[in-house]
Amino acid sequence: VSNAGVGMVGPLECQSLAAMQSLMDTNFFGLVRLVKEVLPDMKRRRGGHIVVISSIMGLQGIVFNDVYAASKFAVEGFCESLVVQALRFNVAISLVEPGPVTTEFEAKVYEEAERADYSRTDPETADIFTNLYLRNSKDVFASLGQSPEDIAEHTLRVIEAARPPFRHQTNVAYTPMAALKHADPSGALMTDAFYKLVFKYDAVLRLSLR
């Protein structure tokens, strides 16, 4: 089970390249290093199961989560490319894709975001992040957040499955979001829907979450 991860939220201009590279080293290359260690023996034994804790943000980018989403997209692409070869050797790969999970991990990320310096971005972007994104995120976690125990139960079901799924989403509230992206290959439908949700109907979003 690959579960190492770090988070990053905020305007892109306010993130250092060193911090981005460190995040990718943990979230993506940490997984790569693990798979390189365990896969050869699994192939020799012609049996094994690699379970990767990914994220719904490996399927859908979320505003102000640019680099974190990129790391999870990398995880998804890596596993999607590897799974066909692995199946040839009777090795299963499963991606567990949670939405928001209420843990110290998330709390720390958002506490740091509230204290951060946003002078490197323009005032409008800083205002959108602090007064729209952070406020809505708290409502999202309060309304839709899962417990670590719930994610552990989902992961256990994936591990114990007779035919392990390649992808397993833990929160059905996010299924329509993933479906929306695949419904329109041009991306226009998804982009328009998210733009309106964030900038036109944010009051309705907050009310519905509450």
Side-chain angles (χ1 to χ4, degrees):
V1 177
S2 175
N3 188 43
V6 292
M8 178 183 288
V9 296
L12 183 65
E13 305 96 306
C14 301
Q15 314 292 347
S16 71
L17 281 175
M20 296 178 195
Q21 289 168 336
S22 177
L23 180 145
M24 291 297 294
D25 189 54
T26 299
N27 292 9
F28 176 61
F29 287 106
L31 167 65
V32 173
R33 286 192 290 269
L34 176 68
V35 172
K36 277 175 64 68
E37 287 294 323
V38 302
L39 186 60
D41 187 56
M42 289 182 174
K43 288 165 76 173
R44 280 192 295 271
R45 290 188 284 113
R46 291 194 172 265
H49 189 186
I50 298 169
V51 179
V52 181
I53 306 302
S54 181
S55 169
I56 196 70
M57 277 191 268
L59 299 175
Q60 172 63 60
I62 301 293
V63 62
F64 291 120
N65 283 268
D66 322 280
V67 180
Y68 179 79
S71 73
K72 293 301 185 178
F73 266 69
V75 163
E76 295 270 335
F78 174 74
C79 292
E80 194 169 279
S81 298
L82 193 61
V83 66
V84 174
Q85 178 206 146
L87 286 172
R88 177 68 177 176
F89 293 89
N90 196 37
V91 176
I93 296 176
S94 295
L95 290 156
V96 177
E97 299 163 334
V101 184
T102 307
T103 65
E104 291 182 8
F105 173 94
E106 298 291 348
K108 182 173 181 289
V109 167
Y110 287 103
E111 284 172 9
E112 291 176 352
E114 288 176 344
R115 297 193 306 265
D117 174 18
Y118 299 112
S119 61
R120 283 175 289 174
T121 190
D122 59 277
E124 185 177 0
T125 299
D127 181 66
I128 292 168
F129 177 66
T130 55
N131 293 319
L132 272 182
Y133 176 82
L134 288 179
R135 182 173 57 175
N136 286 341
S137 291
K138 290 178 181 178
D139 290 341
V140 167
F141 272 84
S143 178
L144 300 176
Q146 294 177 273
S147 70
E149 292 78 13
D150 194 16
I151 303 303
E153 289 292 336
H154 277 272
T155 304
L156 182 61
R157 289 202 290 272
V158 168
I159 291 170
E160 294 181 335
R163 297 186 65 180
F166 176 57
R167 285 192 168 95
H168 176 82
Q169 293 166 28
T170 68
N171 193 327
V172 295
Y174 285 83
T175 302
M177 185 175 78
L180 189 65
K181 182 173 182 176
H182 294 288
D184 175 17
S186 78
L189 182 63
M190 176 273 298
T191 303
D192 183 61
F194 273 83
Y195 181 87
K196 288 176 178 174
L197 194 64
V198 173
F199 294 114
K200 295 185 70 174
Y201 306 127
D202 64 294
V204 176
L205 171 64
R206 287 199 304 277
L207 183 65
S208 66
L209 288 170
R210 289 170 184 170

